[in-house]
Each structure stands twice: as C-alpha cells, then as structure tokens.
Amino acid sequence: MSETAVAVEHHVDHAHDHHGSEGFLSKYVFSTDHKMIAMQYLFTGMGMAVIGGFMAYVFRMQLAFPGISVPGFGQVSPGEYNSLVTNHGSIMIFWVAMPVLIAAFGNFCIPLMIGADDMVFPRINRLSYQIFLLSAVILLLSLFVQGGGFGGAWTAYPPLSAVGNYNQTSLGASMWLVAVALEFVAFLLGGINFITTLMNSRAPGMKAYDIPMVCWMIVIASILFMLSVGPLIAGAVMLLFDQTIGTGFYDPARGGDPILWQHLFWFFGHPEVYVVLLPAIGITIDVIATFARKKVFGYKMMLYTTVATGVLSFFVWAHHQFLAGIDPRMANVFTITTLLISIPIAELCFVIIATLYGGSIRLTTPMLWALAFMAEFLIGGVTGIFLGASGADIYFHDTYFVLAHFHYTFYPIAIIGTFCAFTYWFPKMFGKMMNDTLGKIHFWGTIIPFNIIFIPLFVLGMGGQHRRIYNYEHFPELAGEGMYQLRELATYALLVMLAFQLVFFYNCISSWIRGKKAGKNPWESNTLEWTTESPPPHGNWPEGLPNVYRGPYEYAHPDREQDYWPQNEPT
C-alpha cells in the first residue's frame, strides 16, 4: 500500500475518533470539525462586513453632506475620515472576502465535495481560525487607542505609514500592521490544510478531473497566496521596525526607498485579487452548471486557464506604479502583461457563457447572484483595461475612476460571490430552505443600488475628482453643483442598499428557525455534499465514505431519465 493511501486510511480512523460526543465548548468554540470552523469564519466575516459597511455609510455621508453630524456616529473629523476609509478597505479585503470566500466555504465545501470526513489537519484548522479571530480583535481594538485607527490608506504606503508624525496614528498603525500579519499567518495555515486535504483525502474513485471546480479554485488560490505573501511579510516587518524602533528601510534620507514597499505590497496585492477572485468564479461555475442543468463547457480548458491566470498574476504588479517614477520602458512591459492577463479571464467568462447556452435555466436566487457576478465583474474587467494602459493611467490614477473600477471587481467577488455561495449552500449548512421571494427582493434591492452608487463615480473620476479628500468644498473646481449631485445620488443609493441587507438577515434568521426542511439534495445537484444529510453529521457520512464513478457535472445525460447524475451513483 502506498504512503498516501496509508495516510488517508489513518486520517479516516483518526477523524472518526475525534468526532465522538462533544460538549458545548468543544462543539461550538474549540471545535476541530471543518463545518463548525467554516461557520466560525462565516459569522466572523459577516460581522466584520457589517462594521465595514457602517464605515462606508459614515464617510459617504461626509462626502455628500460635508460637516453633517452623521446619525449613529456624529461629526466626522479629517483624521476620523482617513481612519474610516483605511479600515473599510482593509476589513472588506482581508477580514471579509478572504475569510468568507476562502476559509468559510473552503472549510465547508472541500471535505464534503471530495468525499472526506474532515480536513487532514483538524487542529491546525482550529488554530488557523483562532489566529484569524485574534487578528480581527487587534484590528478593532486599534480603532479605540490613542490617536485612533490607522489612517494611512489600506495600501499603507510609506513615508505616510512609517512616520507617526505624518499619519497621526502611530499606535493604531502598528496594531493595524500586526493584525494584517496575523491574518496572513492564519491563511497560510489554512492553505496548507486545503492543499493537503484535496491531494490526499479524495473519495475512492475520484480522479483529478472529477474534482468540482470550486475545490480546484480554492486550492489554486491558496497556492497563489502562499507564493506571493512572503515578500510582503518581510516588508511588513521592516515597516514595523521603521514605526517602532526608528530604522530607515523606507526613509530615503537614510538610504531607504519608499518605492520598495510598493513593489513588495503589489507583488502580493495583485495575485491577491486572484486569490479571492478564483473561489468566486468556482462558486459561480458550480451554481451555473446546477441551474443551467448542463455540463460545464471545457472543464480541462477552464482548469488550465486558471493555472495560466495564476502564473501571469505575478507579472503585472507594477501597473499600480505607473506614476511612482518607474522606468517608462518597464511601464510598457507591464502594460503588455496587464492586457495579456485579461485574455484568460475573458476565456473563463466565455466558457461560463457557453455553459449557459442551450441550458434549461432555473432562475433561482443563487442563479441570479451567479449571473449578476458575471455581469458586474465584466464591467470591472473592461474598465481595468483603461487603467492598464500607462498613458491613460496618467490621467485616471488615484481618481474616483480607479475607485469605481476597483469596486466593480471586488464587490462582485466579496459580496455577490458570497451571497451566491450562501444562498446555494444554505440548505446544506442549516437543513432549511431560504425563502425564495425574500431572496429575490434582497437580490434586486442590492444589485440596482450598487450600480447607482458606482456608475456616477466613473463620471466623477473622469471629471478629475481625486480620492481621499475629506471635504471637496476646499477645491472649488470639484465643488460644482453637478458633482455634488452625483455624490448625493451615490450616497442615497448606498443607504438604500444597506437597508435591503435587513431583508437578507431577516430571511436568514426566519428560514433557519421556521423554514421548510431541506432534503439531502434540494437543488438536484451531482456533487458529493448533496449525498449526505442536511446539515451533515460529524464525520459527514457515518455509514461510510462515498465512492465516485464520474465527474461532477453530468447533467441532462442522454442515458438518464433524470436530468442529473450524482457522482456516487453506480453506472
């Protein structure tokens, strides 16, 4: 017997041992069950999203109505404005998108979708969440220390981030940096678990091309994260030393180089976009295949394209630095690589469209979110082409055009992708069906205001409106009536969108308490998580792990009366 087979057999025996009877603390607080850890990540990420959304509400009110006493917050000072903008961006990227899309759904889906009873390293899995929770606590505490939360922007460019006299939040800046570093450690531990589990704990009969696409996407994202984060951790240590013990790694007066941080940050930062994008695309693929009742078009091509995207993502980082003084000849190189990386992403989009073509489409709530992800993300991708051209970026750099582009890429990933996954796997997670009518009301109440918020920001950006300005009344050329009307329109739309999130929370709670009971497979899907009980018990399949006989997307097969063919059903 091979070493891998022995390891898997040992894991199965061990996992059944530690899934015995549990008390409250061992089950809900210190659990090693991948499903409970997924819930911990999910609810922590949702809580942080509420905080990040509140921050957005406060600073948008200040932008639309300068000097107003914001209900629920009060008067916004310039320092508080900087802190709110900085921490909103940090929270939504590092403490919402990553923990929900990668950690929560990776923990929940990977073992269930590959036919395993748990992660290979359950205690490391628990430690990963505990470190992540510590990082979130430190970040939130940093908002209340002397000077307030860090206000040097989520990209933390020195010298603004390195010198307390510049950012006016010296203690908050150091705590922010420690929180980010701890969050990275948590996801390194989680990534080790995802990769090892997928490679070593698949169900008997499950070959590489039988793995659902969302599992591949999460694992490839974990590999990208592990390969890109090292230089940034080293850079963060140097920045922390500059802040606390007076070193000069980023101080040109002492031989340092502030542009070095930009290279280290964006060498991680651009692969990071794909770290969170790939799981969202994987979720979208699985949901669209299920509700189009059609086999995924070009499974292998999609997988190879994803790998190519990951490789190319390491060669585009300097398009963030076209105005930072880099050699214009190198700017030409990074313009080309930036345009090149749009090709595999466009290919993935066309493959998804081809999967939809000719399908028997069911417009359920998860399907609406999947289709919205495609539509909104394409707007973000198309507007990114302008910013990837070094000549155009001279004008657009650091304007609201960049901000709108960024939100048309990250909002579909972090928010729409999360809603898509949550509404799809809610029956499996909680054993109840969500109210479809309330789900669709929430969908339209989110998507329509989202576009009303950010389309005007493209117009403001093209009109020259710069980012990170506390009060545009100080700049007469940006204080015209037309511009203020657009800012007010975007702010009113944000208020409407935030209000509709109450429908989502009501739907979640009411469905959880008194919703219709979900069976094993309410969506008539093929993948293995739909072959066990809803919600799955400890060990996932107490009667024995499933065998796999085919790929995950055999819908509308001509040899079947039913239009789906579960992976574990013998031929």
Side-chain angles (χ1 to χ4, degrees):
M1 185 181 292
S2 69
E3 291 183 11
T4 301
V6 171
V8 172
E9 183 176 322
H10 170 75
H11 169 62
V12 170
D13 293 339
H14 167 71
H16 282 302
D17 288 342
H18 77 257
H19 286 307
S21 59
E22 299 175 290
F24 177 85
L25 286 178
S26 60
K27 182 176 182 179
Y28 295 107
V29 181
F30 300 108
S31 177
T32 56
D33 187 329
H34 71 99
K35 300 180 292 296
M36 186 54 62
I37 293 170
M39 298 293 183
Q40 291 171 336
Y41 270 115
L42 178 65
F43 291 131
T44 305
M46 290 173 68
M48 295 298 282
V50 170
I51 295 170
F54 177 76
M55 291 176 171
Y57 149 74
V58 174
F59 64 70
R60 279 248 48 106
M61 289 291 286
Q62 163 61 27
L63 289 172
F65 312 105
I68 189 177
S69 179
V70 179
F73 185 86
Q75 199 91 17
V76 183
S77 69
E80 288 170 335
Y81 175 84
N82 287 337
S83 176
L84 289 166
V85 171
T86 297
N87 285 281
H88 165 76
S90 304
I91 285 172
M92 300 308 290
I93 294 168
F94 297 129
W95 281 274
V96 177
M98 291 181 68
V100 174
L101 287 170
I102 301 175
F105 291 110
N107 265 296
F108 187 80
C109 293
I110 288 178
L112 284 168
M113 296 182 90
I114 67 171
D117 52 6
D118 207 327
M119 289 293 182
V120 169
F121 304 117
R123 290 181 180 85
I124 290 180
N125 206 18
R126 177 177 63 192
L127 178 63
S128 171
Y129 172 72
Q130 291 167 341
I131 294 174
F132 169 76
L133 181 62
L134 176 62
S135 75
V137 170
I138 292 173
L139 181 78
L140 295 178
L141 289 176
S142 75
L143 302 175
F144 302 99
V145 299
Q146 183 177 2
F150 177 47
W154 75 275
T155 52
Y157 283 4
L160 182 59
S161 62
V163 182
N165 288 335
Y166 296 165
N167 59 56
Q168 302 293 310
T169 56
S170 56
L171 182 54
S174 297
M175 292 179 71
W176 178 90
L177 201 56
V178 170
V180 171
L182 286 172
E183 195 257 4
F184 288 167
V185 171
F187 281 92
L188 284 171
L189 294 174
I192 291 168
N193 238 335
F194 296 150
I195 296 165
T196 311
T197 301
L198 187 82
M199 295 303 149
N200 290 333
S201 290
R202 298 196 300 272
M206 179 174 277
K207 300 181 287 294
Y209 296 130
D210 296 331
I211 298 172
M213 192 57 70
V214 66
C215 298
W216 272 126
M217 293 290 189
I218 291 172
V219 165
I220 293 170
S222 299
I223 293 170
L224 291 180
F225 179 81
M226 296 170 77
L227 292 176
S228 63
V229 77
L232 182 58
I233 292 177
V237 171
M238 291 190 288
L239 182 56
L240 186 64
F241 285 171
D242 277 14
Q243 291 174 344
T244 55
I245 62 175
T247 56
F249 291 107
Y250 303 113
D251 183 357
R254 290 185 286 168
D257 183 5
I259 302 300
L260 172 62
W261 170 264
Q262 295 187 29
H263 285 292
L264 297 175
F265 182 89
W266 290 116
F267 182 80
F268 160 79
H270 211 84
E272 164 68 7
V273 172
Y274 299 95
V275 167
V276 290
L277 169 63
L278 295 183
I281 289 179
I283 291 162
T284 301
I285 291 166
D286 273 47
V287 169
I288 283 179
T290 298
F291 296 113
R293 317 308 293 168
K294 192 161 173 266
K295 188 172 184 175
V296 166
F297 184 90
Y299 175 101
K300 292 183 181 180
M301 179 175 65
M302 193 179 293
L303 186 56
Y304 300 149
T305 299
T306 302
V307 173
T309 302
V311 172
L312 274 173
S313 72
F314 287 95
F315 297 94
V316 298
W317 80 88
H319 68 218
H320 295 274
Q321 299 169 245
F322 286 152
L323 267 66
I326 65 171
D327 190 318
R329 292 167 296 183
M330 286 306 297
N332 292 337
V333 172
F334 282 100
T335 294
I336 293 169
T337 57
T338 300
L339 297 177
L340 283 176
I341 203 169
S342 66
I343 296 173
I345 294 298
E347 185 179 330
L348 286 173
C349 292
F350 281 119
V351 165
I352 294 173
I353 293 170
T355 301
L356 285 166
Y357 180 77
S360 179
I361 295 173
R362 301 175 181 177
L363 289 177
T364 61
T365 301
M367 184 63 157
L368 290 176
W369 286 115
L371 296 174
F373 171 84
M374 289 292 300
E376 306 292 2
F377 183 78
L378 281 172
I379 296 174
V382 169
T383 54
I385 293 174
F386 297 98
L387 301 173
S390 56
D393 190 62
I394 292 172
Y395 182 79
F396 289 125
H397 182 79
D398 254 357
T399 68
Y400 265 65
F401 189 95
V402 177
L403 187 143
H405 154 75
F406 184 81
H407 280 81
Y408 265 103
T409 54
F410 244 91
Y411 189 94
I413 293 168
I415 306 302
I416 296 177
T418 294
F419 283 138
C420 180
F422 188 83
T423 53
Y424 181 62
W425 279 296
F426 184 93
K428 184 56 59 178
M429 287 178 161
F430 303 105
K432 300 290 183 68
M433 299 298 294
M434 294 188 80
N435 184 298
D436 197 52
T437 301
L438 288 178
K440 289 175 179 175
I441 291 171
H442 168 243
F443 169 79
W444 291 112
T446 300
I447 293 299
I448 293 173
F450 165 70
N451 287 281
I452 297 174
I453 295 168
F454 289 103
I455 288 176
L457 300 191
F458 282 121
V459 179
L460 289 172
M462 288 187 288
Q465 179 172 304
H466 201 278
R467 301 166 70 183
R468 305 188 182 107
I469 293 178
Y470 161 71
N471 186 346
Y472 288 96
E473 291 178 342
H474 300 154
F475 299 87
E477 67 277 11
L478 298 178
E481 184 177 342
M483 285 192 163
Y484 262 120
Q485 288 173 342
L486 289 177
R487 290 184 198 114
E488 290 178 2
L489 175 64
T491 302
Y492 286 132
L494 174 69
L495 296 176
V496 172
M497 187 177 75
L498 292 177
F500 269 95
Q501 304 319 303
L502 297 176
V503 177
F504 169 74
F505 287 115
Y506 173 79
N507 194 7
C508 291
I509 295 168
S510 63
S511 298
W512 194 356
I513 294 171
R514 56 177 181 269
K516 176 185 173 184
K517 186 171 175 57
K520 283 186 178 181
N521 193 3
W523 304 130
E524 297 181 330
S525 185
N526 290 342
T527 45
L528 292 179
E529 78 271 26
W530 303 107
T531 65
T532 186
E533 299 298 325
S534 302
H538 289 302
N540 298 335
W541 290 272
E543 70 281 0
L545 300 180
N547 290 292
V548 171
Y549 299 95
R550 65 191 57 80
Y553 303 117
E554 295 295 333
Y555 293 100
H557 196 282
D559 297 337
R560 296 268 297 178
E561 289 186 14
Q562 294 176 309
D563 68 350
Y564 66 106
W565 200 348
Q567 285 186 280
N568 70 325
E569 195 172 297
T571 302

